[in-house]
Amino acid sequence: MSYPVIGGIEGGATKTIVFLMNTNGEKLAETTGSDSNPWNLGVEQCCKLIYNLVMEAKRQAKLLENEPLHSLGLCLSGLETEDIRNKLKNTLISNYPRLSDNYFIGSDTRAPLAMVNDIGGIVLIAGTGSNCLLINPDESETQCGGFGDKLGDEGSAYWIVHRGVKICLDNNIKLKSVPNGYSDVKLWEAIKKYFNIETIYDLIPIFYSHFNKAQIAALCISLSELARNGDPLSKWLFESAGQYLAKHIQAVYNSAHETLKCNHGGLQIVCVGSVWKSWDLLKQGFEAQLKDTSVSDVYKLCLVHTTGSSAIGAVYLAARVVNVPFPYTFSKNYNVFYEYVK
C-alpha cells in the first residue's frame, strides 16, 4: 500500500534538518544543511536551500523528484511575523511549484511543542539564540524574544559568551569593574585560547568583519566547564542566563489559558537548545527569578526535553494541515526533567 509523503523541516541559526515520513509514521529520509534563517540568507536563498535539501531527501527515499510532497511543514528561525511567512510561502510556490501541494509555515518555536501535545504550552529555545512562544488551545499566541543577537537573545549561548567577553573588555579598559568583585582572569584566558587571540583589540574582527554567531556561541561549552570547575564569574553568567530564561516564561505566563496551567504537572515548557544541557548551572538563577512575583505569579510548571529532532514536530504540523490520519506518538517524544510548584 502506498502512503502520502509528508515533509518536516526544523531550521535554526546553526543547521537545518529535513524529515520525510509517510502517513503510517515511517521515516523515509533525513537530510541536514546549514542555517536557513531568511533574515540571514534572504528569502530567495532560503527557499533554494529548502528545495535542495528536500530534493536530496527525495533521492535518499527513492521518490520521484517531480512528484510533490503531500504536505510540507517548515519551522524556521526568523519566521515570527505573518509577512515573512507569506513571502517565504509565495516564493516557494512561485520558484518551486512541484515541491509540495500544501504547506505549514511557522517559526522554529512551533515544531518542538507539536512533538509533545496537540493542545498548547510554551516553547523556550536557548541554543545559539533564544526565543519563547506560548500557544493556547485556541491557537492564540504570545511571544517573548526572537529578536536575534542585535536586539535580544537573552539566556542563549551567544548571549552568555557576548556578556562574558564584554565584562572582560570593560574591565581591561577600566570602563566597568567585574560584577560582584569577581576575577575575570580565568574567563579571559578561556576567551583568548578559544579565539586564538592576545589582546582585546583582536576581538574586533571576530565580532565585526568576520562575525559568525554560531562559532562565537560555541565558546559557551568551555565557559560551562569553567563554571563547573568553580569559577565564580562563569557560574554567575549561567545563573544570569537562568534568570533571563525564567523571565521569558513570566512574560507570557499571564496569557496562558487556565486549561494549560491546570494540566497535569502544570504549564508545560518545552526546552530546546544546547544551553539546557547546563541546567545544573541555570537552575539557581531560574528558581530565584520565578519567586519574584512582580511580573507574574507562576505557581506550577514542568520543563521537558524532546527526545528527537524537532523536524518530527514539523511533520506533525504538516499532517494537520491536510487532516490525514497520522500516528502522533506524543508520550514517546519527551522527558520531564524539572517540576516547579510554588
Side-chain angles (χ1 to χ4, degrees):
M1 180 178 178
S2 178
Y3 295 93
V5 177
I6 310 290
I9 302 179
E10 168 204 359
T14 304
K15 65 180 179 180
T16 303
I17 300 174
V18 176
F19 272 24
L20 296 185
M21 301 179 75
N22 62 30
T23 54
N24 197 36
E26 298 166 329
K27 189 169 82 168
L28 307 176
E30 176 181 349
T31 56
T32 304
S34 59
D35 165 28
S36 53
N37 187 313
W39 296 105
N40 295 338
L41 297 178
V43 171
E44 293 276 345
Q45 192 62 32
C46 176
C47 290
K48 183 178 180 181
L49 173 69
I50 289 166
Y51 175 78
N52 288 336
L53 286 173
V54 172
M55 288 302 104
E56 183 183 342
K58 280 187 171 184
R59 288 189 289 272
Q60 187 183 122
K62 295 181 171 53
L63 300 173
L64 296 175
E65 292 188 21
N66 65 346
E67 184 70 27
L69 300 178
H70 189 41
S71 188
L72 177 61
L74 292 94
C75 296
L76 313 179
S77 63
L79 296 184
E80 278 72 35
T81 67
E82 188 175 355
D83 284 347
I84 189 67
R85 291 194 290 266
N86 288 337
K87 187 173 182 181
L88 186 78
K89 182 177 180 179
N90 292 336
T91 302
L92 283 171
I93 292 171
S94 174
N95 292 4
Y96 310 104
R98 303 289 295 172
L99 182 63
S100 181
D101 289 332
N102 301 279
Y103 289 94
F104 172 90
I105 297 182
S107 75
D108 55 346
T109 51
R110 291 299 306 264
L113 186 57
M115 287 179 69
V116 304
N117 69 62
D118 57 1
I119 61 169
I122 292 175
V123 178
L124 184 50
I125 295 176
T128 302
S130 66
N131 200 355
C132 178
L133 179 70
L134 162 73
I135 303 175
N136 279 308
D138 64 358
E139 289 292 319
S140 61
E141 299 180 2
T142 304
Q143 185 169 336
C144 176
F147 295 102
D149 56 271
K150 302 295 189 299
L151 296 174
D153 274 347
E154 291 86 353
S156 70
Y158 176 83
W159 180 86
I160 292 169
V161 171
H162 180 270
R163 197 174 195 194
V165 168
K166 190 68 168 69
I167 286 170
C168 292
L169 190 155
D170 288 348
N171 186 49
N172 186 284
I173 62 176
K174 296 180 170 53
L175 176 67
K176 191 175 180 181
S177 59
V178 180
N180 303 321
Y182 296 140
S183 168
D184 67 348
V185 172
K186 290 184 179 179
L187 180 60
W188 179 232
E189 286 301 318
I191 291 168
K192 288 193 294 182
K193 181 179 179 181
Y194 180 81
F195 291 120
N196 192 26
I197 61 174
E198 293 296 331
T199 74
I200 57 170
Y201 300 101
D202 296 327
L203 292 166
I204 294 173
I206 293 169
F207 281 85
Y208 291 95
S209 55
H210 304 306
F211 180 75
N212 183 321
K213 181 178 176 180
Q215 183 182 30
I216 293 170
L219 172 56
C220 193
I221 297 171
S222 298
L223 302 194
S224 69
E225 293 171 356
L226 270 183
R228 290 193 178 97
N229 288 329
D231 178 52
L233 179 54
S234 299
K235 289 173 67 176
W236 178 83
L237 284 171
F238 280 89
E239 287 172 13
S240 298
Q243 180 183 10
Y244 269 96
L245 292 173
K247 284 184 177 182
H248 281 77
I249 294 171
Q250 290 175 321
V252 302
Y253 184 82
N254 289 339
S255 299
H257 289 186
E258 286 301 316
T259 53
L260 296 179
K261 294 178 182 178
C262 298
N263 195 21
H264 177 69
L267 184 60
Q268 196 172 53
I269 319 293
V270 183
C271 302
V272 180
S274 58
V275 173
W276 291 107
K277 294 177 182 177
S278 298
W279 171 244
D280 57 316
L281 303 174
L282 303 170
K283 184 179 178 181
Q284 184 172 331
F286 185 90
E287 289 184 326
Q289 181 59 40
L290 287 184
K291 292 174 183 176
D292 179 0
T293 60
S294 61
V295 178
S296 62
D297 191 4
V298 178
Y299 55 86
K300 192 176 184 181
L301 60 77
C302 65
L303 304 183
V304 309
H305 279 316
T306 54
T307 56
S309 169
S310 294
I312 296 171
V315 170
Y316 286 4
L317 290 165
R320 289 181 201 169
V321 166
V322 290
N323 197 30
V324 295
F326 196 91
Y328 301 103
T329 55
F330 299 124
S331 62
K332 295 181 180 179
N333 294 335
Y334 72 93
N335 293 313
V336 176
F337 70 93
Y338 174 76
E339 294 181 281
Y340 173 85
V341 179
K342 181 181 173 182

